Amino acid sequence: MKFSIQVNEGPYQHQASDSAYQFTKAALEKGHECFRVFFYHDGVLNGTRLTTPPQDDRNIVKNWTDLAEEYDLDLVVCVAAAQRRGIVDDGEAERNGKDATNIAPRFRISGLGQLVEAAIQSDRLVVFGD
Amino acid sequence: MSDLHTVNKSPFEKNSLESCLRLSKAGSAILLYEDGVYGALKGTAVENMIASVVADKKVYVLGPDYKARGLDESRIIDGVEVVDYAGFVDLVEANDKVQAWV
Amino acid sequence: MSDTKNFMFLNRRAPYGTIYAWESLEVVLIAAAFEQNVSLMFVDDGVYELTKGQDTTGIGMKNFSPTYRTLGDYEVRHMYVDKASLEARGLTADDLVQVEWEDWETEESVDNIVEVVDSDRVAELLEESDVVFSF
């Protein structure tokens, strides 16, 4: 079955991103397909590579990157939400005149249409949020 | 077929569980996870919310979240079933869609 | 598989205190542009999103209330309000904005697509949808 996942909260503050990660991993391990993981609201903060958690804590951003690496996941950060919260890739830095980027590996920034498309194309949309 | 409803809020903090129970149809599946697992406990002030619906709605609690919070399975309301993440995935697959009461 | 689905946006958050209501509205506008059948459901504090007379000049935030009134122009055909949530907050339909809708091809029109419905109907409408977006 084809799933898509929506993550509405940032890492660490709320369990939503951890739950979404555990769910997505379990679904992939069972042989399901994940069409897209879409990060919205503060969920876009899952997409910064500048995160530095203590050594004895899990690295949520890296967990997503590694999972995407293993299963070729499409991790999409909403552009409007990202601009508000300062998640920047090369294209965004150039368009908006920013002096740095912080997007994590395997994440990409795109529009809300990607969420709508995911809902249309997938058998199930599972929302994780506050 | 029916829907899977997910509740991740403590019933002592927010009314998500109450609204979910009021606005879900008979035959629905309800999964309590994250802080929602506190709603699955016996002997609480809100025990009756779950106990009164287990006859016509199937209630599940996510074991890993339950265990993380130091709760023993013997305290789970009768009729509530414990699932792991693989079971969560199965519930999503087995139902028509998911309604998240975030 | 058909490319048109029945989308239901389940709104349970008050405006301004958090950004959920506003960013939910942004998804609604995009979903409508994708020519999906879009309906909105307002439950719990979500009913506060529709109150008339919102004025944000004193808090420095954008007043996005007028956008709800334009949803009819974006082909949003139904905006449902949970009666119990409304009553619990001491509100009636008169306290809410009205949203006009018109089909420009058939000239069919509705004066106000905001409709107050009871719990059983809310449950039915949610279950009849293909996808529920929760905010």
Side-chain angles (χ1 to χ4, degrees):
Chain A
M1 182 168 268
K2 202 188 286 182
F3 291 101
S4 279
I5 310 295
Q6 185 182 335
V7 182
N8 289 341
E9 297 301 323
Y12 303 104
Q13 177 81 17
H14 192 285
Q15 199 184 339
S17 183
D18 288 286
S19 296
Y21 169 78
Q22 298 294 345
F23 178 89
T24 306
K25 189 162 168 280
L28 292 166
E29 282 167 358
K30 286 181 81 82
H32 294 294
E33 184 187 338
C34 183
F35 180 79
R36 181 166 294 147
V37 183
F38 191 84
F39 296 88
Y40 198 43
H41 301 303
D42 277 2
V44 300
L45 300 172
N46 286 285
T48 169
R49 67 168 185 269
L50 302 184
T51 304
T52 314
Q55 292 227 334
D56 60 350
D57 198 356
R58 78 268 188 233
N59 189 325
I60 298 177
V61 176
K62 188 170 182 302
N63 280 349
W64 280 115
T65 296
D66 291 348
L67 197 66
E69 198 63 50
E70 186 178 352
Y71 291 96
D72 196 23
L73 280 184
D74 189 19
L75 306 179
V76 178
V77 172
C78 169
V79 62
Q83 286 173 342
R84 285 189 177 115
R85 294 162 179 88
I87 302 296
V88 183
D89 64 6
D90 288 339
E92 282 297 302
E94 195 176 321
R95 260 187 299 281
N96 300 307
K98 302 295 175 186
D99 60 2
T101 67
N102 59 352
I103 191 88
R106 299 291 313 207
F107 284 79
R108 65 187 179 93
I109 296 178
S110 191
L112 271 175
Q114 299 276 306
L115 171 61
V116 174
E117 187 202 22
I120 295 169
Q121 298 298 330
S122 306
D123 301 306
R124 301 284 185 278
L125 174 71
V126 190
V127 181
F128 293 88
D130 181 30
Chain B
M1 289 286 275
S2 56
D3 287 356
L4 171 67
H5 299 255
T6 59
V7 176
N8 67 336
K9 297 299 184 315
S10 163
F12 303 103
E13 189 193 7
K14 294 202 171 157
N15 72 340
S16 305
L17 179 60
E18 192 185 335
S19 291
C20 167
L21 296 178
R22 178 170 66 85
L23 301 173
S24 55
K25 299 188 71 153
S28 294
I30 295 166
L31 173 69
L32 308 176
Y33 75 111
E34 295 177 0
D35 289 348
V37 301
Y38 295 116
L41 290 171
K42 277 188 213 166
T44 72
V46 300
E47 174 182 9
N48 198 43
M49 279 171 66
I50 291 295
S52 64
V53 303
V54 290
D56 64 1
K57 291 170 191 174
K58 184 68 194 157
V59 183
Y60 302 85
V61 61
L62 191 67
D65 276 333
Y66 197 79
K67 209 174 148 189
R69 287 158 177 79
L71 305 169
D72 189 88
E73 285 199 14
S74 64
R75 299 186 61 179
I76 295 178
I77 294 167
D78 296 336
V80 175
E81 193 180 318
V82 181
V83 294
D84 58 9
Y85 271 100
F88 185 175
V89 174
D90 291 342
L91 285 172
V92 173
E93 186 184 14
N95 288 278
D96 286 331
K97 66 173 180 293
V98 185
Q99 298 186 34
W101 294 86
V102 289
Chain C
M1 190 179 69
S2 162
D3 272 357
T4 304
K5 286 189 173 181
N6 295 314
F7 280 6
M8 179 63 86
F9 288 82
L10 176 56
N11 299 286
R12 297 179 52 242
R13 306 279 191 155
Y16 311 116
T18 59
I19 199 170
Y20 299 103
W22 184 358
E23 286 189 333
S24 162
L25 199 49
E26 292 184 344
V27 185
V28 169
L29 299 176
I30 299 289
F34 272 68
E35 299 190 340
Q36 303 299 301
N37 297 325
V38 176
S39 301
L40 280 67
M41 176 70 72
F42 298 87
V43 173
D44 294 327
D45 281 353
V47 303
Y48 287 129
E49 293 178 30
L50 296 181
T51 53
K52 281 182 198 161
Q54 294 178 20
D55 177 356
T56 59
T57 49
I59 61 171
M61 294 170 80
K62 176 175 160 178
N63 180 354
F64 57 96
S65 170
T67 308
Y68 291 102
R69 300 216 311 276
T70 68
L71 289 179
D73 303 334
Y74 287 91
E75 304 292 318
V76 172
R77 181 64 187 78
H78 296 285
M79 295 171 68
Y80 302 102
V81 179
D82 172 45
K83 187 163 180 268
S85 300
L86 202 58
E87 285 177 353
R89 286 158 182 78
L91 300 172
T92 69
D94 292 340
D95 297 306
L96 308 180
V97 294
Q98 299 203 340
V99 180
E100 252 180 274
W101 177 87
E102 187 181 6
D103 186 322
W104 293 4
E105 283 168 17
T106 64
E107 293 190 357
E108 183 194 352
S109 70
V110 181
D111 289 343
N112 185 17
I113 60 169
V114 178
E115 185 185 343
V116 179
V117 292
D118 66 19
S119 300
D120 288 346
R121 187 74 184 126
V122 174
E124 256 173 40
L125 289 162
L126 290 172
E127 187 142 311
E128 284 168 9
S129 312
D130 296 317
V131 182
V132 174
F133 290 87
S134 304
F135 292 98

